[in-house]
Amino acid sequence: NNFVVNGLVLAADGKKMSKRLKNYPDPQEIVEAYGADAVRMYLCNSPVVRAEPLRFKEEGVRDVVKDVFLPWYNVYRFFVQETFRFEGSGDKRFTPSPDCIKASSNVMDRWINAE
């Protein structure tokens, strides 16, 4: 006996989305511009998952890309860049060492490695 309840996704003006009024952005264009993951994260972090109405705004999806996905991508890009630099400075291959991570006194390393 499980129930799934979600709120209404409204147009940015707070009215019900209407094909006749065309008061919402084309979903295909939003996905093409920002990606399905950004739309999914926008909806998952919205009031609609708490059964409350959501005024869907393209700016909200754009902000997810700007505030979440771009920082993640930049961290990943930095890590790959530094790995290539490390491996290019000699005959070394980057391999994470669990023993080194466990021996670290860095607070963030300890937190990430915590079980």
Side-chain angles (χ1 to χ4, degrees):
N1 295 350
N2 294 326
F3 293 97
V4 176
V5 180
N6 62 302
L8 291 173
V9 179
L10 305 171
D13 60 5
K15 296 179 182 173
K16 186 177 174 185
M17 289 184 177
S18 167
K19 288 181 186 176
R20 182 178 56 83
L21 297 176
K22 216 38 186 140
N23 61 348
Y24 60 91
D26 181 7
Q28 190 63 37
E29 289 177 11
I30 299 288
V31 170
E32 287 174 6
Y34 303 105
D37 288 334
V39 175
R40 204 174 290 124
M41 185 170 279
Y42 172 68
L43 292 173
C44 284
N45 289 317
S46 71
V48 79
V49 297
R50 294 183 302 275
E52 298 172 11
L54 164 70
R55 290 181 176 199
F56 186 89
K57 298 178 182 170
E58 183 175 348
E59 296 81 32
V61 179
R62 185 197 66 225
D63 290 346
V64 166
V65 171
K66 180 180 62 110
D67 297 337
V68 178
F69 287 115
L70 285 179
W72 284 354
Y73 176 72
N74 288 335
V75 168
Y76 168 75
R77 210 173 67 197
F78 176 76
F79 174 74
V80 170
Q81 172 187 325
E82 292 303 309
T83 301
F84 282 133
R85 185 187 323 232
F86 175 80
E87 291 178 344
S89 65
D91 292 333
K92 299 179 257 182
R93 178 100 176 112
F94 176 77
T95 50
S97 169
D99 295 331
C100 182
I101 294 169
K102 288 178 183 174
S104 176
S105 61
N106 182 288
V107 175
M108 289 304 293
D109 289 343
R110 292 176 147 212
W111 179 76
I112 289 169
N113 197 43
E115 294 180 20

